[in-house]
Amino acid sequence: MVESAFNAVFNQKVLIRIVSALAIMGIVNIATISDGFATLKFADKVSFIPYLLYLLCIVLILSIIDKVVKFNCDIYALAVSAFAYCCYMSIKYRNLFFSIGLLFVISIIGYYFLKDDKFKLSERNISLKLAAILVTAAAAFLAVYIGVVTTLRYLNYSTSTYDLGIFSQMYYYMKETLVPYTTCERGKLLSHFAVHLSPVFYLLLPGYFIFPSPVYLQIMQALVVASSVIPLFLLARRNQLSYKVTAVICISFCFHPALAGGCFYDIHENMFLTPFLLWMFYFLDGKQWNLVYLFAFFTCLVKEDAPIYIASVAAYLIFSKKEIRRGIILLTGSVIYFALAIMYINNFGDGAMIGRYDNFIGDSDLGLLNVIKVIISNPGYLIYEVFNQEKVLYMLIMLLPVAFLPLLNRDLPQMLMLIPFLLINLVSDYPYQHSIVFQYNFGTLAFLYYLVIKNLPGLGFKFKKYGLPFMAAASVLLFISQIGIYADNITNYIKNHEKYSRISQALESIPEDASVRASGYFVPKLSSRRILYDIQYSFEVEEAVNADYIAIDMRPGLESYAERVANEYKARGYEIVGYEENLYCILKKP
């Protein structure tokens, strides 16, 4: 009798309600207790008896609801509350290891739901209209989030010379002269193409004539990146994936943390890689070769190293698709363009930035060719360089949202499509190339999701049953934990709007035709002028040192260096024409 009573009380439904109640109260406690939940003291702040009573009340409420409604509400309550609790904890404690642990918890709960198909997902199909609505909503969220946050970064004076200031002044010069000049990039007047060959920037120039502002550049970046979902959706359908599967892939793509993360160091030419490559893959699968060549050419125009992506596609065509002639055309074109681009930068610019591969080049005279030599002659060194703690974490955050699908290639030559991931992100010891919050992931993401679409059909129903929900959960959770922090720009703007307005008014008082030397965070605001230098990087340029105006950022955290610079200029006879403590100091040449 005791055993039967125990089973009656602690049956499966009651256990589900208890777990749901724990998750709900976990959210409430985190929201109401100031101490972080990742401390032992947190439990001391919980009034235990009332806490147990609240748990009991929630269990009773869920029990009553279960009696009233005609469907099994318990599983929905558990799914929503547990996922919400994990997401909320990831917001409060943005640690990658912790987020992976939360994903493990979600996977266990998800397995409970999916093994018996408790949500009847296998029986539910969605129409084209619903799939389009869901994907459009996800893409719209992505565009709005990126656009709002990056715009507020600019308005909050959180963007600097490197890199929004450079590109904003470059577009000013392009509007005035059609040439991509800057003075703040290298402390002298030169074309940005002397540093990176990126003709693709001209695509945004027509709109800049109408909206000549850094805000326009930030918003266009958001729209360009979000537009990538269009070819991805079409590509999934071309490969005969259902609307349901297509929607999950596209939504997961929109929430992949590296996609939005690549925008938060502000606008870069790399943003074009994702849509261009996905369009190229779409036309490649349809054997529309003229359009494949067109988008391959557009991709090369993004940057001098972009031909690496095209060469990888060419190798894939030759060895996997047996499209030898087409592959040779792409390979030849990419090699020729790469050689000409490097030649141009070396002879007419500041030289190709091969220093990011010094860990594979050393003192060799072969330059970038030495990377290939080392990889072939010493594969052990390649493994040593790729599999260190920092890069393994980066690989996890790149591959968890795609459920490691790009690695599950039954066709071995398909692994050639992972070459950009290896060469662009993992081989270099330049830390920003294996970080999700810089612009070097855009091309890699296009390849990863192409491989998701190509590999998924061959993995069978069971993988789709578990793998697709995992992709969605991992993308959303990691997006929240790793990218959600940038939403702080919204609260920062609301809290300090008046201060930033006073800085703007002071900077706008500087005549447009005056030469200016400014703190890095002031450069983007001042970028619509011909002569502009960064204080920190132009001290050897006489014209910069003797600029008509000096604009110094005096905000807390910068005051030590700022005070020294201000005193140096006052000693040289410069007069203060604008000053507000802890905000700015503007000096004018006598």
Side-chain angles (χ1 to χ4, degrees):
M1 183 177 292
V2 174
E3 184 178 352
S4 61
F6 183 88
N7 290 335
V9 174
F10 291 98
N11 60 43
Q12 190 177 76
K13 282 195 168 188
V14 172
L15 286 174
I16 291 174
R17 291 166 195 162
I18 290 172
V19 175
S20 299
L22 287 169
I24 293 169
M25 285 306 301
I27 295 172
V28 171
N29 285 338
I30 293 175
T32 56
I33 296 174
S34 57
D35 288 345
F37 71 90
T39 64
L40 185 60
K41 292 182 179 179
F42 185 87
D44 295 335
K45 299 292 180 70
V46 177
S47 299
F48 195 62
I49 300 301
Y51 173 74
L52 291 178
L53 292 175
Y54 284 131
L55 287 178
L56 180 60
C57 287
I58 294 172
V59 171
L60 291 174
I61 291 170
L62 291 174
S63 301
I64 294 170
I65 293 173
D66 183 62
K67 296 293 183 183
V68 174
V69 300
K70 295 181 179 180
F71 62 91
N72 187 356
C73 71
D74 289 322
I75 59 172
Y76 292 94
L78 177 57
V80 173
S81 61
F83 190 68
Y85 183 41
C86 288
C87 288
Y88 195 40
M89 285 191 289
S90 71
I91 292 172
K92 293 296 184 179
Y93 187 61
R94 293 186 173 104
N95 176 278
L96 181 55
F97 292 104
F98 180 67
S99 298
I100 292 172
L102 292 176
L103 189 57
F104 179 71
V105 172
I106 290 172
S107 299
I108 294 172
I109 296 173
Y111 177 75
Y112 166 76
F113 289 133
L114 296 170
K115 68 185 178 82
D116 298 324
D117 199 14
K118 289 182 173 58
F119 292 119
K120 308 298 181 187
L121 295 177
S122 60
E123 300 174 7
R124 298 182 182 182
N125 294 313
I126 64 175
S127 63
L128 169 61
K129 182 179 179 180
L130 181 56
I133 290 172
L134 293 173
V135 172
T136 301
F141 169 82
L142 177 69
V144 170
Y145 185 78
I146 294 172
V148 168
V149 170
T150 56
T151 296
L152 291 181
R153 267 177 52 81
Y154 165 69
L155 296 177
N156 290 345
Y157 290 93
S158 298
T159 58
S160 66
T161 304
Y162 300 92
D163 289 326
L164 182 60
I166 292 170
F167 293 127
S168 185
Q169 191 191 30
M170 180 191 76
Y171 269 99
Y172 166 78
Y173 264 105
M174 288 167 71
K175 181 173 75 75
E176 298 294 320
T177 68
L178 297 181
V179 181
Y181 286 133
T182 70
T183 57
C184 61
E185 185 167 14
R186 291 290 187 269
K188 61 182 179 181
L189 181 67
L190 86 166
S191 168
H192 174 68
F193 293 175
V195 181
H196 291 301
L197 187 58
S198 304
V200 74
F201 273 127
Y202 280 98
L203 289 179
L204 300 185
L205 184 57
Y208 190 82
F209 278 98
I210 304 171
F211 306 104
S213 165
V215 173
Y216 164 77
L217 300 179
Q218 300 287 59
I219 291 174
M220 287 308 299
Q221 175 182 230
L223 294 176
V224 168
V225 170
S227 75
S228 305
V229 80
I230 299 172
L232 184 67
F233 186 96
L234 296 174
L235 183 62
R237 291 297 299 147
R238 175 160 274 178
N239 282 270
Q240 272 102 83
L241 297 180
S242 69
Y243 290 125
K244 180 169 64 176
V245 173
T246 298
V248 173
I249 291 173
C250 291
I251 293 170
S252 300
F253 171 79
C254 290
F255 283 94
H256 194 294
L259 187 63
C263 300
F264 294 128
Y265 201 54
D266 307 302
I267 186 173
H268 284 87
E269 63 275 17
N270 303 62
M271 65 183 175
F272 288 100
L273 288 172
T274 318
F276 285 175
L277 287 167
L278 286 172
W279 277 117
M280 185 180 70
F281 293 146
Y282 172 72
F283 294 122
L284 186 151
D285 279 4
K287 298 185 182 296
Q288 297 167 271
W289 298 110
N290 288 337
L291 291 172
V292 170
Y293 299 145
L294 177 63
F295 276 93
F297 177 66
F298 284 165
T299 300
C300 288
L301 294 180
V302 172
K303 208 170 184 180
E304 65 276 3
D305 61 358
I308 292 173
Y309 299 106
I310 307 305
S312 300
V313 175
Y316 167 70
L317 284 176
I318 293 169
F319 293 103
S320 181
K321 292 293 187 180
K322 309 304 178 186
E323 292 281 359
I324 297 174
R325 184 171 69 87
R326 309 288 186 182
I328 289 175
I329 291 173
L330 279 180
L331 182 61
T332 303
S334 64
V335 170
I336 291 173
Y337 187 92
F338 180 74
L340 291 175
I342 296 299
M343 189 183 303
Y344 171 84
I345 294 175
N346 285 338
N347 288 282
F348 301 102
D350 281 8
M353 300 176 73
I354 63 174
R356 297 177 180 182
Y357 291 90
D358 278 348
N359 57 325
F360 275 79
I361 295 175
D363 299 326
S364 173
D365 296 329
L366 294 175
L368 287 173
L369 291 176
N370 200 61
V371 176
I372 299 173
K373 176 189 172 185
V374 171
I375 290 174
I376 293 174
S377 60
N378 187 6
Y381 181 73
L382 172 66
I383 297 171
Y384 168 78
E385 282 292 320
V386 168
F387 289 94
N388 58 50
Q389 180 176 327
E390 187 177 323
K391 291 179 182 177
V392 167
L393 284 175
Y394 166 74
M395 283 188 268
L396 281 175
I397 204 168
M398 289 293 285
L399 293 172
L400 280 170
V402 290
F404 294 92
L405 260 170
L407 304 181
L408 305 180
N409 295 291
R410 294 187 175 186
D411 177 20
L412 188 59
Q414 213 162 272
M415 296 292 284
L416 293 167
M417 296 290 269
L418 293 171
I419 288 176
F421 191 30
L422 178 67
L423 291 184
I424 300 295
N425 305 112
L426 298 176
V427 165
S428 172
D429 61 355
Y430 186 57
Y432 305 128
Q433 289 189 209
H434 45 269
S435 168
I436 64 159
V437 292
F438 288 87
Q439 67 274 13
Y440 302 101
N441 305 301
F442 288 124
T444 299
L445 283 172
F447 280 81
L448 293 181
Y449 276 89
Y450 180 66
L451 289 173
V452 166
I453 290 171
K454 300 306 287 185
N455 291 344
L456 192 58
L459 293 172
F461 172 77
K462 194 169 250 190
F463 189 92
K464 292 177 187 177
K465 178 180 177 180
Y466 296 108
L468 288 170
F470 180 87
M471 283 177 60
S475 295
V476 172
L477 183 71
L478 292 175
F479 181 95
I480 291 171
S481 69
Q482 303 301 303
I483 305 301
I485 190 172
Y486 291 97
D488 292 349
N489 283 279
I490 300 172
T491 54
N492 183 19
Y493 179 76
I494 295 170
K495 182 179 178 181
N496 299 298
H497 172 63
E498 290 186 7
K499 291 181 180 179
Y500 298 139
S501 294
R502 296 202 296 273
I503 295 175
S504 296
Q505 290 172 5
L507 295 179
E508 288 166 1
S509 70
I510 301 174
E512 292 183 2
D513 59 349
S515 62
V516 180
R517 189 179 183 211
S519 297
Y521 290 114
F522 286 177
V523 168
K525 180 66 177 179
L526 295 164
S527 57
S528 293
R529 63 183 65 244
R530 287 179 176 265
I531 304 175
L532 175 65
Y533 301 98
D534 186 299
I535 280 180
Q536 198 166 353
Y537 298 99
S538 58
F539 49 83
E540 295 180 354
V541 181
E542 184 176 348
E543 184 184 40
V545 173
N546 297 315
D548 297 332
Y549 285 82
I550 311 299
I552 305 174
D553 190 346
M554 305 292 289
R555 287 177 294 173
L558 307 168
E559 64 271 15
S560 178
Y561 180 77
E563 290 284 356
R564 180 163 59 84
V565 173
N567 290 334
E568 288 176 1
Y569 275 97
K570 284 190 286 186
R572 294 175 56 198
Y574 276 70
E575 301 174 352
I576 294 178
V577 294
Y579 176 80
E580 186 167 343
E581 187 177 2
N582 293 327
L583 282 183
Y584 61 84
C585 178
I586 299 175
L587 301 101
K588 182 181 178 182
K589 187 176 181 179

